[in-house]
Amino acid sequence: MLQRNSDLPYVIPDEPQSRPAEGWQYPSVDLREMGRILRRRYKMAVLPALALLGLAVIYLLFATTLYTATSTVLVDPRRANVVESNQSVLSNFGTDDATIESQTLLIQSVAILVRVVGKLKLTEDAEFRPKPGLLDPIKRLFSSSGPSNGASPEDAARARSVEILQKRMKVTRQGTTFLVDIAVSSESPQKAATIANAIADAYFDEQVRAKYDATRIAANWLNGQIDELKSKVVASEKAVEDYRSANNLMVSQGVTLNDQQLTDLNNKLIAARVQTAEARAKYEQVQDIAKSGGDPGGFNAAISSEMITKLRTQYADIAKNEADLSSKYGARHPLVANVRAQRRDTQRLINEEIRRILESTKHDYDVARSREASLQQSLDQLQGVSTSSGQAQVRLRELQREAEANRTQYESYLARSKETTAQESLEMPDSRIVTKASIPIRPSSPKTMLILGLAAMLGLGAGSVLAFLADYLDGRVKTLEQAEAIAGVPALAAVPLIGARELAGLARRGRRELGRYDPKATGLLPPALQPPLTRYAIDEPGTFFAEAIRAVRLALQRTMRSQPVKVVQVTSALDSEGKTTLAINLAQSLAMLGIRTLLIDGDLRNPQVTRALCPRADAGLLEVAIGQTAPERAILVDPSTGLSILPSTPIKEVEFITELMFSDRIVDVLDYFRHRYELIVIDSPPLVPLVDGRALAELADRIILALAWDQTPGEVLSHAMDLLSPVRDRVMGTVLTRVDLSRLQFYDYYRSSAYLKPYGAASLHAGAAR
């Protein structure tokens, strides 16, 4: 059953019960609730998507079809030069990211695009000429100056074509590689490929032109420097020769003549000193032999003399012959005497030769010493001359160094000039084409599926956000749990909405009674002429509507078992929330159980109970309260249910109604009926706009608050509970009315028609219920 009851009556505690402190938890996302929000607000979620899809379709219908061709260029910094040289004038750029990005920007620079526009004559192409727009006059009003001010028409047209080409092209680097893609979009596939390739060629031409210009400028500068350096070299070399001549610093084989003479004399002096030392050694040896009385033939010169060697050989032969003859003829033999004379002559010759050698040794020593002295004298004279020219040689070396430096710089510049001149005649770009742009076979823009997909995704995303926002801002009561949380009292039941078609079918049953009914009758209307909703719980007992009324009745019966309850007020926060229908059906349901029940129409300003059941009643609550009519005469009884009804006749004096509600007369009337009926049900005016309902709440034992489903704001319910704060302990609970069970599944599945289908749901079509 659609109800929330407890076995014990609901009592508001004096002090709020403290709950144990709970630790903070991370907020969770309820995906099921999000799904229910999107389902119940699917129109709001789908509408932006449909709108964006419509706009996307319109855009696709009117958008210009473009084709994109791509040319891939390799920025190759390692490309070799044809002319061999250590370093080119404009050196190959590096491989860092900044350099590659700079080349990427260079490809789309104005300088290169101007070349392409001029080469392909794009200024004459209608695609690359500005098209007049509807907003052009407005733009001209806000623009300070146009791009063509101060420029020729040709320059202005070229600038506009370049701007359009910049918008139609896209230059991107492939990741961190040296590959750069040049993509160009055009209405013509052939034109797109032609422009992409032309941009790549213009980029190469720009590289070659930049190198050529740099090389030419360097060559001109080098030529000027070479002429200046040549003059410096000639002047510095002439200064060296003039200074050398002026200071007698002639050079032979790389050294000056004075230095060469000093070197030669020094070498000769060394040799003379060696000879003098040898001669002195020989002379001193001879002197030592003479002083000691030794054999003078024993020194080296005598030993090495050939003459002495021969004489000594001859002397030995003669001595041998003398010995032989002496032994043969005797010492006095003439032959022996003759041989002896020969021996003495030979000895004399040897002595004379030795004496001559001794005298030659002394002479050689004197000659060597004299030659050494002469060389030493000459060397001393040349050293004096060299000392006097030392300062001149320092200055000469300075001039030589300056001349050598000028010569080296001149030769370096001359070699560089020749290399630059060779490079000037042949330069190659530092890039090359990897893939030439081919003619595209499919359009690249507009991307139909992508645009439609994005439109649908964005639309659904925006619609979902709007749906979530609308649901978050929607404070109307939609579930029993929400009503309990706001009101702080139990939610008794959810009364479903009855379809207008079914109500119309029930109303047609009273057409036959309409002819027999007296319009002037002051009693109750026949059941067939009463509004179908006022008797729906009785006429259709198997419906969820009747089940909800029984749930309210059960909650009331439980309360009556534990506490004395006589007067039950059925009210609402605002008007048209179904309180009258609830009050009538609840009273009829109680009466059907045999409980003596009285239904009082307490809404004197808008007596809906009276208007529905006995519109011609001539006496009612007001007449009974003021004593004009006896209570028994004013009460009408429904024979089909046994329900007693106290109507309310129309009152024109509104001020009198308020005074009556706060008077003791109403208290007396209720006290009178308390003793005659087991239960009194009062259909009360709404609480928020009028004070009548608040006055009746002071007299009621229990209060039932009707809430229109998906209509009553939560703030209004909270305000109504604040108004009932003096009698808050008497509020038995709330009842949701006009609940669309088919939509309730998106808020509370277990009370919706989807969950209750196995039990046979009534006709639940859209309609209105009072």
Side-chain angles (χ1 to χ4, degrees):
M1 294 173 61
L2 297 179
Q3 61 184 15
R4 282 186 177 269
N5 301 313
S6 59
D7 294 333
L8 297 177
Y10 180 82
V11 179
I12 300 297
D14 296 334
E15 296 291 338
Q17 298 180 357
S18 60
R19 297 182 179 179
E22 298 180 356
W24 185 85
Q25 297 178 352
Y26 286 100
S28 59
V29 178
D30 190 347
L31 297 179
R32 290 179 297 180
E33 180 62 22
M34 294 177 64
R36 287 194 291 266
I37 292 174
L38 293 178
R39 289 186 63 185
R40 63 179 174 251
R41 299 187 183 274
Y42 70 93
K43 293 181 179 179
M44 184 176 294
V46 172
L47 185 61
L50 295 177
L52 286 181
L53 282 174
L55 293 177
V57 170
I58 294 174
Y59 168 76
L60 293 173
L61 292 176
F62 292 96
T64 302
T65 302
L66 297 178
Y67 295 85
T68 300
T70 302
S71 175
T72 303
V73 174
L74 173 64
V75 180
D76 190 2
R78 297 173 295 275
R79 194 174 177 87
N81 291 325
V82 174
V83 180
E84 294 183 358
S85 60
N86 294 331
Q87 186 178 5
S88 61
V89 174
L90 187 60
S91 61
N92 294 332
F93 41 79
T95 60
D96 58 294
D97 291 341
T99 302
I100 306 300
E101 294 296 335
S102 300
Q103 294 300 311
T104 302
L105 295 177
L106 176 62
I107 295 175
Q108 48 191 332
S109 64
V110 175
I112 292 179
L113 297 185
V114 166
R115 289 172 175 265
V116 176
V117 170
K119 179 180 179 181
L120 301 181
K121 299 180 180 180
L122 297 182
T123 55
E124 301 175 4
D125 193 333
E127 183 180 352
F128 292 91
R129 289 202 301 264
K131 297 178 177 61
L134 298 176
L135 300 179
D136 288 347
I138 300 176
K139 294 180 179 179
R140 285 194 293 269
L141 291 177
F142 291 96
S143 61
S144 57
S145 60
S148 60
N149 287 358
S152 62
E154 293 79 7
D155 294 339
R158 187 183 304 109
R160 287 191 289 266
S161 298
V162 168
E163 290 179 359
I164 296 175
L165 181 56
Q166 284 179 329
K167 297 177 181 178
R168 290 290 182 89
M169 69 175 295
K170 184 178 181 181
V171 181
T172 55
R173 178 185 180 187
Q174 294 185 10
T176 58
T177 65
F178 296 157
L179 297 177
V180 177
D181 292 334
I182 304 174
V184 177
S185 300
S186 175
E187 299 175 6
S188 170
Q190 296 83 359
K191 190 188 302 179
T194 302
I195 295 175
N197 292 324
I199 292 175
D201 294 338
Y203 168 59
F204 298 152
D205 295 341
E206 178 65 20
Q207 282 190 338
V208 173
R209 184 196 64 78
K211 285 191 172 184
Y212 175 79
D213 292 344
T215 305
R216 180 169 51 81
I217 293 172
N220 295 335
W221 180 81
L222 286 173
N223 290 333
Q225 293 294 318
I226 287 172
D227 295 338
E228 183 180 352
L229 289 173
K230 183 177 181 181
S231 301
K232 288 183 179 181
V233 171
V234 172
S236 60
E237 291 182 348
K238 186 176 182 300
V240 170
E241 296 300 328
D242 292 344
Y243 189 82
R244 182 181 288 118
S245 299
N247 293 274
N248 195 20
L249 299 174
M250 302 305 295
V251 177
S252 176
Q253 296 180 355
V255 296
T256 61
L257 293 178
N258 190 19
D259 292 340
Q260 188 174 6
Q261 290 175 359
L262 283 173
T263 302
D264 293 342
L265 285 175
N266 190 36
N267 293 334
K268 291 179 180 180
L269 178 60
I270 293 172
R273 287 176 177 174
V274 172
Q275 292 178 0
T276 302
E278 293 178 353
R280 184 175 59 189
K282 292 179 181 179
Y283 177 72
E284 290 177 351
Q285 183 182 11
V286 171
Q287 292 297 325
D288 291 340
I289 293 174
K291 290 179 181 180
S292 62
D295 182 11
F299 67 95
N300 294 334
I303 295 173
S304 61
S305 175
E306 294 181 0
M307 181 59 71
I308 292 176
T309 301
K310 291 180 180 180
L311 289 174
R312 285 185 174 183
T313 302
Q314 185 178 354
Y315 179 83
D317 291 340
I318 292 173
K320 180 180 178 183
N321 189 20
E322 180 182 3
D324 290 342
L325 289 177
S326 295
S327 64
K328 183 176 179 181
Y329 297 106
R332 295 186 179 277
H333 191 277
L335 291 175
V336 175
N338 188 22
V339 173
R340 187 178 291 118
Q342 291 180 353
R343 182 174 61 80
R344 286 194 293 273
D345 291 339
T346 302
Q347 183 64 45
R348 180 179 57 77
L349 291 175
I350 291 174
N351 293 335
E352 289 178 355
E353 184 65 25
I354 290 174
R355 188 166 50 254
R356 187 186 62 79
I357 291 174
L358 292 175
E359 292 177 353
S360 176
T361 302
K362 183 178 182 302
H363 177 72
D364 291 342
Y365 173 64
D366 293 339
V367 171
R369 188 171 58 183
S370 176
R371 183 171 176 269
E372 180 184 355
S374 176
L375 290 173
Q376 183 66 46
Q377 184 179 2
S378 299
L379 181 61
D380 293 340
Q381 291 177 356
L382 285 175
Q383 286 179 346
V385 174
S386 177
T387 301
S388 63
S389 62
Q391 296 297 328
Q393 289 181 354
V394 173
R395 175 60 180 165
L396 176 62
R397 286 192 292 271
E398 182 181 352
L399 293 175
Q400 287 176 339
R401 286 193 297 270
E402 183 178 356
E404 184 65 24
N406 290 336
R407 187 182 302 107
T408 302
Q409 188 176 9
Y410 171 72
E411 291 174 353
S412 176
Y413 274 57
L414 184 61
R416 187 61 178 154
S417 176
K418 291 181 179 180
E419 294 175 359
T420 303
T421 303
Q423 289 180 359
E424 186 177 356
S425 61
L426 179 60
E427 288 288 355
M428 296 183 64
D430 292 318
S431 305
R432 61 185 178 89
I433 293 181
V434 177
T435 304
K436 275 187 167 293
S438 58
I439 299 175
I441 59 176
R442 296 184 182 87
S444 60
S445 176
K447 299 182 182 300
T448 304
M449 298 306 297
L450 178 61
I451 292 175
L452 293 178
L454 287 177
M457 291 178 61
L458 292 176
L460 289 175
S464 299
V465 172
L466 290 177
F468 291 139
L469 183 61
D471 195 81
Y472 175 77
L473 297 177
D474 188 1
R476 294 173 294 184
V477 179
K478 298 180 179 64
T479 63
L480 297 178
E481 288 79 2
Q482 187 179 2
E484 287 184 358
I486 297 175
V489 295
L492 304 178
V495 180
L497 175 70
I498 306 303
R501 181 177 302 178
E502 183 179 0
L503 293 177
L506 295 175
R508 282 195 293 270
R509 294 182 300 179
R511 291 180 180 178
R512 289 176 296 179
E513 294 290 336
L514 186 59
R516 297 192 296 266
Y517 175 69
D518 184 7
K520 298 181 179 180
T522 59
L524 290 174
L525 291 175
L529 295 180
Q530 295 177 8
L533 277 180
T534 59
R535 301 182 61 85
Y536 196 85
I538 300 174
D539 296 340
E540 303 291 339
T543 61
F544 294 134
F545 185 95
E547 188 72 14
I549 297 300
R550 287 193 289 269
V552 179
R553 185 187 68 185
L554 177 61
L556 181 59
Q557 287 177 314
R558 287 178 177 176
T559 305
M560 294 172 61
R561 295 191 189 104
S562 60
Q563 296 179 5
V565 176
K566 285 289 188 176
V567 179
V568 177
Q569 178 186 9
V570 179
T571 185
S572 63
L574 300 174
D575 192 18
S576 301
E577 292 195 71
K579 62 178 180 58
T580 300
T581 302
L582 175 61
I584 295 174
N585 283 273
L586 177 60
Q588 290 175 349
S589 179
L590 290 168
M592 290 291 293
L593 293 179
I595 300 174
R596 295 194 306 276
T597 306
L598 173 64
L599 174 62
I600 299 178
D601 189 354
D603 192 352
L604 300 180
R605 303 172 189 263
N606 186 20
Q608 295 185 13
V609 172
T610 303
R611 192 178 298 118
L613 301 180
C614 47
R616 296 293 181 178
D618 55 357
L621 177 60
L622 177 61
E623 289 76 12
V624 173
I626 61 177
Q628 183 177 348
T629 304
E632 291 76 6
R633 183 178 176 276
I635 291 177
L636 303 176
V637 178
D638 184 3
S640 62
T641 60
L643 174 65
S644 300
I645 302 172
L646 179 60
S648 177
T649 57
I651 302 176
K652 297 181 179 180
E653 295 81 3
V654 179
E655 297 82 1
F656 182 72
I657 296 176
T658 304
E659 298 299 332
L660 178 63
M661 289 297 175
F662 285 92
S663 65
D664 294 334
R665 296 179 181 180
I666 295 297
V667 177
D668 296 339
V669 171
L670 292 179
D671 288 341
Y672 176 80
F673 289 123
R674 282 176 185 270
H675 297 88
R676 287 166 175 76
Y677 291 93
E678 297 181 53
L679 193 64
I680 301 172
V681 178
I682 302 177
D683 180 24
S684 167
L687 298 173
V688 174
L690 303 173
V691 298
D692 301 354
R694 305 172 209 172
L696 289 175
E698 300 286 344
L699 306 177
D701 298 326
R702 287 293 180 268
I703 301 172
I704 298 176
L705 187 61
L707 305 174
W709 181 83
D710 198 19
Q711 178 178 337
T712 304
E715 296 85 352
V716 174
L717 173 58
S718 178
H719 180 56
M721 294 304 299
D722 293 338
L723 296 177
L724 294 176
S725 57
V727 291
R728 188 180 183 88
D729 56 337
R730 304 180 190 177
V731 180
M732 190 174 71
T734 59
V735 177
L736 286 182
T737 62
R738 302 179 182 179
V739 178
D740 189 345
L741 295 181
S742 61
R743 290 176 56 197
L744 185 62
Q745 62 179 326
F746 303 128
Y747 299 95
D748 190 351
Y749 179 79
Y750 298 106
R751 291 181 178 87
S752 64
S753 59
Y755 190 72
L756 299 175
K757 281 181 180 179
Y759 302 98
S763 177
L764 301 175
H765 300 288
R770 297 185 61 187

